[in-house]
Amino acid sequence: MSDTRSVLPYGSWPSPIEADDAARGDALLEWVGFLGDDVCWTEVLPEEDGRSGLMRRTAEGVEEVLPSGWDVRTRVIEYGGRPWLALSGRAADGLVFTHGPDQRLHRWRPGSDPVPLSPPGAWPGELRYADFAVHGDEIWCLRETVADDTARTARRHLVAIPLDGSAAEDPSRVRELAATHHFMTGPRIEPGGDRVAWLGWDHPDMPWDTTRLMVAAVLPDGTLGAPAVRMGGEGEAVTQADWATDGSGTLYAVSDPDGWWNVHAVDRDGGTRSLCPRPEEFGEALWRIGLRWCLPLLDGTLAVIHGVGERRLGILGSDGALTDFDDPATEWHFAATDGRRIAAVASSPGRRRTVVLADPADGSVRTVRAPSSEGRSLPSDAPDPDADGAAPEARTPAPDAYATTPYRRTYRGDDGEPVHVHVYPPHHPEFTGPGDELPPYLVLAHGGPTSRSHLVLNQEISYFTSRGIGVVDVQYGGSTGYGRAYRERLRHRWGLTDVQDCATAARGLIAEGLADPDRIAIRGGSAGGWTAVASIAAEPGLYRAAAVYYPVLDPASWREETHDFESRYLDGLIGPWPDTADRYAHQSPLREADRIRTPFVLLQGLDDTVCPPAQAERLLQRIDPDTVPYRCLTFEGEGHGFRRSATVAASLRAELRLYADALGFTPAAASSCSPS
């Protein structure tokens, strides 16, 4: 490449990152664990209809653990949970897992096909299992029983399932252990098997509002004694609990009595103490059952994932000293341990999602599953990415050279409140924009809304920035990662605070001379789709286009249409129903939908149980197509969050077409630039 960049209008830069590349470029790596000495993980395979394969790296390369075709995925609370567990430290003992299509629990031993352990439901997917533990000759786990495909009505129990397979044909062999709350996590069994702990919460609370840490004795006959609350309660959310490994009976809990998710020790007598009190988060919102951020190690220390707006991996000693790994990763997910080492999915602004193995003994972090240019598993004959000793950051695939360097920024709204954002400027190694032209920008509103996005290398964002379109990813009030007070900024103000914060971010970029004020668009999915539609209704002079993915739009009807887990979510986001029905009408994006004049594209999965297609249809019924240019693309077989590469690619192409028309640029022809 030449050191001198050519000048082309923003939005028209030729990019090697096509929609198909972006759709499969960021492999979705999740649910890491150990099978013997092997690190394993689940990996979504977009070109196989989004099947989730269980993968591992051997001396020959990356391969599937199970025979071909098995889908390691649970639909518990619709967002899923930990779907597999090794049965011991020996690989020969195999593992248990939930199979996606029928949601039954299966056991697999090396050299054989998986066999079912749980009975079939009345219909496929009626009974769902997640978050497993081994107790004697049984698997203890969370079981969810849903009434139908909509999952609007559900019951949950902790259950014990025999490992011998006898319950596969005899449902009476499944023992119900506890049902203390409407929602629960799976069991955590104390070393030695004397006690078991779990988290529970009830409507209308969400797990980041109020949860309770429950502990019960395991009686000689395998039943549980009376559960007792050990931590949590009104206004406090315990988001994880795990036992110490030393037999002391200490229970470690990640909770926020002081407004930040910190690590606490819960003694056998019920006393609690904070081990490392800091204005940082050592946990996340519990959107998926079985997530862990605090891992007790065999030497008595804790591996912890912590930070503000980002996450680092550190070791917390018994003296409260915290030492981070010397590694550039700024996000760590799906952590697991064998007692000595920590395996996780790590990423950073310079590295896409990567499975790594960290060893506290020498401070090393080794790549297990490196990103590939296709976003799929490395072929069996692929060389070890670290064989020559090169740092993973220096060995990124060629398309990643077209990725921008993002940075954090905090703006202040009219009320003086901070608005945290991630800025992804336009970037191309061969092109730049004219000196008298400012770039168009996309305002990205993440889903959740009680969630956050990550400042990492992202192929979908690179699809836009490598064409000369900037992206500002807004961590609006209500986002996690900045303490409870920041989360509570959205309480009863959904549709207001998020909309204002996105506008603050856009105007901040404009004021700094970084973005063209006449070429601002907004995009978002799920709760971000709500914010996108509400924004073009509230700020018609600011946004010139919007991309809306599987949105929630009519809160009053959504309460009755969505799944059980989120059916009372709006009590906190807007207010209790029907006492605050006026707020539901006032804050809904549909309230002024007939005033929308901003062109948009709407993308919807037809099998979505979280934000059903009826939500999108209500918006389109209020839009005059002669006044507002819009497209609506629907996808059979897609639910909440697209899994198929063809769907993602079609959506990105539709977005780019919209932005080109609305923001005034001509995209380069496909394949006009290839990676060097």
Side-chain angles (χ1 to χ4, degrees), residues 323-405:
T323 305
D324 287 344
F325 278 80
D326 183 15
D327 185 86
T330 54
E331 296 289 349
W332 296 76
H333 311 277
F334 303 104
T337 183
D338 62 358
R340 298 178 295 107
R341 303 167 298 167
I342 303 101
V345 177
S347 54
S348 75
R351 179 172 62 189
R352 288 186 275 147
R353 287 185 289 260
T354 306
V355 179
V356 300
L357 183 64
D359 190 342
D362 58 12
S364 64
V365 178
R366 184 173 67 85
T367 297
V368 176
R369 195 286 196 204
S372 63
S373 59
E374 293 81 21
R376 294 292 307 278
S377 301
L378 297 173
S380 59
D381 59 350
D384 187 334
D386 294 327
D388 61 1
E393 297 283 350
R395 298 182 55 86
T396 52
D400 290 352
Y402 294 79
T404 189
T405 301

Side-chain angles (χ1 to χ4, degrees), residues 118-137:
S118 66
W123 51 274
E126 179 202 19
L127 303 174
R128 307 167 176 184
Y129 303 89
D131 208 10
F132 310 107
V134 178
H135 187 268
D137 57 1

Side-chain angles (χ1 to χ4, degrees), residues 3 8-9 27 77 93 109 158 194-195 203 285 292 306 316 428 500 561 597 650:
D3 291 335
L8 280 179
I77 69 167
D93 291 333
R109 294 181 176 91
L158 300 185
D194 292 336
R195 292 183 295 168
H203 283 316
R292 303 171 74 195
H306 69 102
L316 180 60
H428 194 297
Q500 293 165 3
E561 294 173 349
R597 298 294 181 267

